[in-house]
């Protein structure tokens, strides 16, 4: 679906923070809910486009043959192909996408809402009660949790005096002084580094399958780590001569080889 194509691309990226993800997911969910309310009209438009596409390959949409004892496909009653496919494919698929977004990003919504108001661009400022659960959960990472209330009040005064208010967590980190707001600075760092999806972890597993192939099944852990680092940092420029010199100094030969040419000249 075109509604989720941009969101899917963003969620697979490496620079998306949790606040931006919350905004994108919320917009997509609202758009899908609006479509669900008018699914009959919208599906008529989609079906008309499908009919035009079917004409190019000489195919006429029709209702599949139905029988009473069916177990392999839907057998809902319908008078026209449009009604049949709307009930069998359109509505179930749309509801499945919506339920999937709700199930996948329910925890993201609750976490993001707690800290969204710390970003200066948001109209309402965060209160201590709203972020108390977040502070209690990460209290071991905060430098001084006991001063969070007074620090939050100072942050509210500071954001009111800002002429240009950042809209992202990364932008808020740039204007947040670590000395004046140590706890808020750490909270913003946690949110900025919090993973939105597991794409990054799965990406590393996919790359590992390229390194540890069938001919390399006897590869040791040290060599595997080295190849993985070389693959991750493939854009770095390496000084091959310096690498060879370092390797030679770390692993000197135990036996000095005789120089046959020079020895023969000296003997003469």
């Amino acid at each position: 679906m075109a509604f989720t194509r941009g969101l899917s691309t963003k969620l697979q990226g490496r620079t998306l923070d949790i606040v931006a993800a919350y905004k994108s997911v919320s917009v997509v969910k609202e758009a899908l809910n609006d479509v669900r309310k008018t699914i009959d009209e919208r599906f008529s438009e989609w079906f008309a486009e499908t009919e035009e596409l079917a004409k190019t390959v000489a195919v006429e949409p029709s209702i599949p043959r139905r029988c009473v004892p069916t177990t392999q496909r839907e057998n809902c009653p319908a008078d026209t192909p449009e009604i049949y496919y709307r009930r069998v494919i359109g509505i179930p698929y749309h509801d499945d996408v919506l339920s999937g977004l709700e199930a996948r990003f329910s925890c993201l919504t609750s976490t993001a809402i707690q800290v969204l108001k710390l970003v200066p661009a948001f109209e309402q400022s965060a209160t201590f009660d709203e972020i108390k659960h977040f502070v209690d959960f990460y209290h071991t990472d905060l430098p001084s949790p006991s001063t969070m209330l007074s620090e939050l009040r100072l942050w509210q005064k500071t954001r009111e005096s800002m002429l240009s208010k950042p809209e992202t967590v990364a932008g808020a980190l740039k204007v947040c002084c670590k000395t004046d707001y140590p706890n808020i600075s750490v909270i913003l760092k946690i949110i900025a580094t919090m993973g939105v999806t597991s794409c990054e972890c799965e990406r590393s597993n996919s790359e590992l399958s390229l390194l540890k192939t069938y001919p390399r099944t006897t590869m040791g852990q040290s060599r595997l780590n080295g190849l993985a680092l070389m693959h991750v940092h493939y854009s770095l420029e390496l000084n091959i001569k310096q690498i060879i010199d370092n390797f030679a100094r770390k692993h000197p030969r135990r036996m000095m080889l005789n120089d046959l040419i020079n020895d023969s000249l000296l003997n003469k």
Side-chain angles (χ1 to χ4, degrees), residues 180-244:
D180 296 335
Y181 313 103
N183 294 311
I184 293 180
S185 177
V186 172
I187 290 176
L188 292 175
K189 288 180 181 179
I190 293 174
I191 298 303
T193 56
M194 186 177 293
V196 180
T197 62
S198 59
C199 291
E200 191 67 21
C201 302
E202 295 173 359
R203 187 179 290 113
S204 62
N205 294 333
S206 300
E207 298 296 340
L208 184 62
S209 63
L210 300 177
L211 299 176
K212 196 171 180 61
T213 57
Y214 176 75
R216 297 173 177 170
T217 53
T218 58
M219 184 191 310
Q221 188 65 37
S222 177
R223 181 176 177 83
L224 180 61
N225 292 341
L227 289 176
L229 289 174
M230 291 175 61
H231 183 75
V232 171
H233 303 286
Y234 64 90
S235 59
L236 294 179
E237 296 183 1
L238 302 178
N239 189 339
I240 305 300
K241 185 177 183 303
Q242 184 179 359
I243 294 175
I244 295 175

Side-chain angles (χ1 to χ4, degrees), residues 43-264:
F43 189 83
S44 297
E45 299 174 1
W46 301 336
F47 192 79
E49 296 177 1
T50 304
E51 286 182 322
E52 293 296 329
L53 182 62
K55 289 180 181 179
T56 60
V57 292
V59 174
E60 183 178 356
S62 60
I63 301 176
R65 185 175 64 87
R66 290 173 291 180
C67 57
V68 177
T70 179
T71 58
Q72 301 298 326
R73 65 168 183 259
E74 298 291 341
N75 197 22
C76 64
D79 297 331
T80 62
E82 178 182 344
I83 297 176
Y84 175 81
Y85 288 109
R86 183 178 66 214
R87 294 175 179 176
V88 173
I89 298 178
I91 295 177
Y93 179 75
H94 194 88
D95 292 342
D96 184 69
V97 173
L98 273 174
S99 61
L101 287 174
E102 291 288 348
R104 178 62 183 85
F105 296 103
S106 58
C107 58
L108 171 63
T109 302
S110 60
T111 305
I113 288 177
Q114 294 175 2
V115 293
L116 270 178
K117 296 180 181 179
L118 287 178
V119 179
F122 287 85
E123 297 180 359
Q124 297 180 353
S125 59
T127 62
F128 183 75
D129 293 335
E130 291 174 338
I131 64 173
K132 186 177 184 302
H133 176 72
F134 189 88
V135 173
D136 293 339
F137 187 81
Y138 290 102
H139 72 280
T140 56
D141 298 317
L142 300 179
S144 180
S146 59
T147 62
M148 186 64 202
L149 179 58
S150 58
E151 186 176 323
L152 183 61
R153 292 175 179 173
L154 289 175
W155 178 249
Q156 292 173 353
K157 294 296 182 181
T158 302
R159 58 178 286 172
E160 291 175 359
S161 61
M162 291 181 182
L163 299 178
S164 177
K165 298 181 179 181
E167 298 181 355
T168 62
V169 178
L173 270 172
K174 294 180 180 179
V175 299
C176 181
C177 180
K178 298 180 181 179
T179 305
D180 296 335
Y181 313 103
N183 294 311
I184 293 180
S185 177
V186 172
I187 290 176
L188 292 175
K189 288 180 181 179
I190 293 174
I191 298 303
T193 56
M194 186 177 293
V196 180
T197 62
S198 59
C199 291
E200 191 67 21
C201 302
E202 295 173 359
R203 187 179 290 113
S204 62
N205 294 333
S206 300
E207 298 296 340
L208 184 62
S209 63
L210 300 177
L211 299 176
K212 196 171 180 61
T213 57
Y214 176 75
R216 297 173 177 170
T217 53
T218 58
M219 184 191 310
Q221 188 65 37
S222 177
R223 181 176 177 83
L224 180 61
N225 292 341
L227 289 176
L229 289 174
M230 291 175 61
H231 183 75
V232 171
H233 303 286
Y234 64 90
S235 59
L236 294 179
E237 296 183 1
L238 302 178
N239 189 339
I240 305 300
K241 185 177 183 303
Q242 184 179 359
I243 294 175
I244 295 175
D245 293 340
N246 292 338
F247 181 83
R249 283 193 292 267
K250 290 183 178 180
H251 306 281
R253 293 182 178 272
R254 297 181 180 179
M255 182 182 297
M256 297 297 295
L257 297 179
N258 295 327
D259 192 341
L260 300 179
I261 298 177
N262 292 333
D263 290 347
S264 61

